[in-house]
Amino acid sequence: MSAETTAFTFPAAGKGAALEEDTILSPRFDANGLVTCVAVDAGTGEVLMLAHMNAEALALTMATGEAHYFSRSRGKLWKKGETSGHTQKVRQMLIDCDQDAVVIKVEMGGTGAACHTGRRSCFYRSVPIGAAPSGATRLAFTGDTPRFDPAAVYGKGQKDDHGHDH
């Protein structure tokens, strides 16, 4: 972490039009100090993953152009791809109207897999629409098959980029 990101702070979020129409970045972090981040493929628009950023992760992502997140399960900052090599080069960052969520348009490194399961996207199962949930609702796989073996990349008993055990 560089000294310039350590000292980086965001201005307090305004309200109403001051927040929605101003050109000053003033993210509204939740009670845990996080904003939601959706990563999408810069070329296709495919949703790759959903994660969270604290102020440090947001500042590092902005400063380096590489996606950084905050792992809620591990309680610490992580750079996407630091373990797996599946980095995310940020091509554009968008913030929503009330500045509590961001979308990053990324180019994937490595095998192009964003998910710790080895798949391209973390969203590889669909939920049925048109019927009320009952008991064990069946999910359908989308056809997004693993591009790598998580055990080979993360090792048995190690944590992946998301903080999941393998």
Side-chain angles (χ1 to χ4, degrees):
M1 181 171 56
S2 70
E4 59 192 71
T5 56
T6 304
F8 194 94
T9 58
F10 295 97
K15 294 188 187 314
L19 178 67
E20 296 165 355
E21 302 298 332
D22 198 351
T23 58
I24 303 298
L25 177 62
S26 54
R28 288 183 46 229
F29 296 101
D30 68 13
N32 296 313
L34 303 173
V35 292
T36 301
C37 178
V38 177
V40 301
D41 183 277
T44 67
E46 177 186 13
V47 176
L48 299 173
M49 58 182 277
L50 181 140
H52 297 87
M53 292 180 169
N54 63 1
E56 184 180 14
L58 183 59
L60 282 168
T61 300
M62 292 169 60
T64 67
E66 294 284 336
H68 289 74
Y69 300 103
F70 184 82
S71 170
R72 295 180 303 168
S73 61
R74 290 186 290 172
K76 70 178 207 171
L77 182 79
W78 59 280
K79 177 184 176 190
K80 177 66 177 156
E82 66 189 343
T83 303
S84 67
H86 302 111
T87 57
Q88 292 178 339
K89 181 76 176 163
V90 180
R91 294 298 175 210
Q92 185 179 31
M93 179 181 280
L94 304 166
I95 194 154
D96 75 336
C97 57
D98 57 357
Q99 297 200 36
D100 65 357
V102 295
V103 170
I104 55 174
K105 296 182 180 183
V106 302
E107 289 179 9
M108 288 298 307
T111 64
C115 185
H116 76 281
T117 66
R119 292 174 174 86
R120 170 96 176 131
S121 171
C122 294
F123 297 93
Y124 55 87
R125 294 172 290 184
S126 64
V127 178
I129 303 298
S134 62
T137 299
R138 297 269 180 206
L139 302 173
F141 284 88
T142 63
D144 183 359
T145 57
R147 296 170 178 229
F148 70 89
D149 175 12
V153 171
Y154 302 114
K156 193 93 173 130
Q158 292 184 356
K159 293 195 183 283
D160 61 31
D161 289 340
H162 296 284
H164 299 102
D165 288 312
H166 284 278

